[in-house]
Amino acid sequence: VSSEIHQTLNADVGNFVPESAITSEQVLRQDYERLRISHEVATYLGVEADLHALLGKILDKIFEIFRCDRGIIFLPDSGGELRPAVSRHRNPAAAQENIVVSRTVLRDVAERKQAVLSSDASMDARFNAARSIILQGIRSTMCVPMLYADELLGVVYLDSQLATGAFSKKDLQLLTGIASQAAIAIANTNLIRRIEGETKTRAQFEKLLSPNLVDQVVAGKLSFDQEGQQKQVTMLFSDIRGFTSMSENMEAREIVHMLNTYFEVMVDIIFRYEGTLDKFVGDEIMALFGAP
């Protein structure tokens, strides 16, 4: 088996040569077009907030660059298992067909965090166990990790059924660059979601807890389980003397204004001493001290 059949990305992977070394206008035009489209991919990172839509657009651009028939972008689920996020077929008639991917190669790329290029899947030992891939007539494959700060955020898989050697080392390098850009987009999206989640959590707890306790909850320093803990606590019950008879002679708007003013002052004091607001009951405030 030729050494070209299965390769991993290394330092010598078919770099774009300097302008002075170019002898073919056709090669120059092909390289320019690939770099132009890869630049368009980079522009999506700043304008597309929806992760699924972004990955779909990236895969569409990948199909413009490479001679691939099928492609999948995998993302890890909560358990770390790679799952298909988006997929494409060049032939619309085959869009309903399942794309079979060698789990051996996918696992190898995920664990070693290195890109894989296979020029002839029918002869590559990595595909021996995947008879379905051979039966589908897959000739060439590329599988590239999406890495950000050495963390695996996904995998891009492409294959071709037309010919062996459909992908070159230069293709592998270009796809690796696109995968790195996609990884940055995924990392940014995950960060935005985490910030949004923390903001929502903070907004919910700020209604009940003092600011320092909210900080601890958001930071994960305080946990709430179903069993709870036994503690000595102090309970505060506070209401307005004569509120019932007083409210009988007031307009509804006046009552609401008075209660809002009263509650605002009282809650500030409760939070100042690290108390937890339990509830409002009419004009009554119930709060506790000594436990979050």
Side-chain angles (χ1 to χ4, degrees):
V1 178
S2 167
S3 61
E4 292 293 320
I5 290 179
H6 181 277
Q7 301 181 32
T8 54
L9 183 64
N10 52 46
D12 181 20
V13 74
N15 290 319
F16 290 86
V17 299
E19 177 271 336
S20 59
I22 298 175
T23 58
S24 170
E25 180 181 342
Q26 181 180 1
V27 172
L28 178 62
R29 289 181 176 275
Q30 290 175 347
D31 286 349
Y32 169 80
E33 184 64 11
R34 290 174 177 178
L35 293 175
R36 182 189 66 80
I37 297 176
S38 64
H39 173 72
E40 289 184 9
V41 172
T43 62
Y44 290 146
L45 301 181
V47 298
E48 183 57 72
D50 182 80
L51 179 60
H52 188 272
L54 171 66
L55 296 179
K57 289 182 177 180
I58 290 176
L59 201 51
D60 288 339
K61 287 300 178 182
I62 286 175
F63 268 61
E64 292 184 33
I65 300 173
F66 304 107
R67 295 186 299 162
C68 54
D69 293 313
R70 308 178 307 173
I72 307 177
I73 294 180
F74 293 87
L75 298 182
D77 59 17
S78 57
E81 185 74 17
L82 289 171
R83 305 290 184 187
V86 293
S87 63
R88 294 287 187 274
H89 289 74
R90 189 171 296 278
N91 181 7
Q96 302 303 319
E97 296 180 1
N98 290 329
I99 302 177
V100 179
V101 179
S102 169
R103 285 289 166 181
T104 303
V105 171
L106 199 61
R107 184 170 58 251
D108 185 55
V109 170
E111 292 177 355
R112 298 176 61 189
K113 298 179 181 178
Q114 288 185 318
V116 167
L117 168 65
S118 180
S119 299
D120 192 343
S122 64
M123 297 181 63
D124 196 326
R126 300 272 179 147
F127 296 89
N128 284 348
R131 293 185 64 242
S132 56
I133 289 180
I134 309 303
L135 292 175
Q136 289 182 92
I138 296 175
R139 300 295 184 87
S140 301
T141 64
M142 282 197 297
C143 199
V144 174
M146 301 162 67
L147 300 175
Y148 179 77
D150 202 40
E151 179 184 0
L152 182 74
L153 299 183
V155 170
V156 180
Y157 169 86
L158 304 178
D159 67 34
S160 173
Q161 299 171 294
L162 297 179
T164 59
F167 309 123
S168 66
K169 294 181 182 180
K170 191 180 295 183
D171 291 332
L172 191 64
Q173 182 193 39
L174 194 56
L175 183 60
T176 300
I178 293 174
S180 297
Q181 294 174 344
I184 294 173
I186 294 173
N188 289 341
T189 300
N190 291 341
L191 177 61
I192 292 172
R193 288 177 177 175
R194 185 165 67 251
I195 292 174
E196 289 177 345
E198 291 180 358
T199 302
K200 183 178 180 180
T201 300
R202 181 178 294 276
Q204 292 173 333
F205 280 104
E206 279 179 343
K207 299 175 182 178
L208 303 175
L209 304 179
S210 60
N212 67 318
L213 288 178
V214 173
D215 291 338
Q216 294 182 52
V217 171
V218 174
K221 297 179 180 179
L222 287 179
S223 60
F224 300 92
D225 54 39
Q226 294 181 343
E227 295 181 0
Q229 298 176 351
Q230 285 191 330
K231 284 191 174 184
Q232 291 282 349
V233 300
T234 298
M235 302 298 301
L236 168 68
F237 299 89
S238 172
D239 57 11
I240 301 174
R241 181 186 301 173
F243 175 77
T244 301
S245 57
M246 184 191 310
S247 62
E248 290 176 351
N249 300 313
M250 298 175 64
E251 296 290 336
R253 188 183 299 276
E254 294 177 312
I255 296 174
V256 171
H257 176 71
M258 180 184 67
L259 287 178
N260 284 338
T261 303
Y262 166 68
F263 288 151
E264 183 176 350
V265 172
M266 290 295 292
V267 170
D268 283 345
I269 296 173
I270 292 169
F271 284 175
R272 186 185 311 162
Y273 294 95
E274 300 185 7
T276 298
L277 175 64
D278 186 279
K279 63 173 67 71
F280 297 129
V281 186
D283 64 315
E284 178 189 323
I285 295 176
M286 179 178 174
L288 63 96
F289 298 83

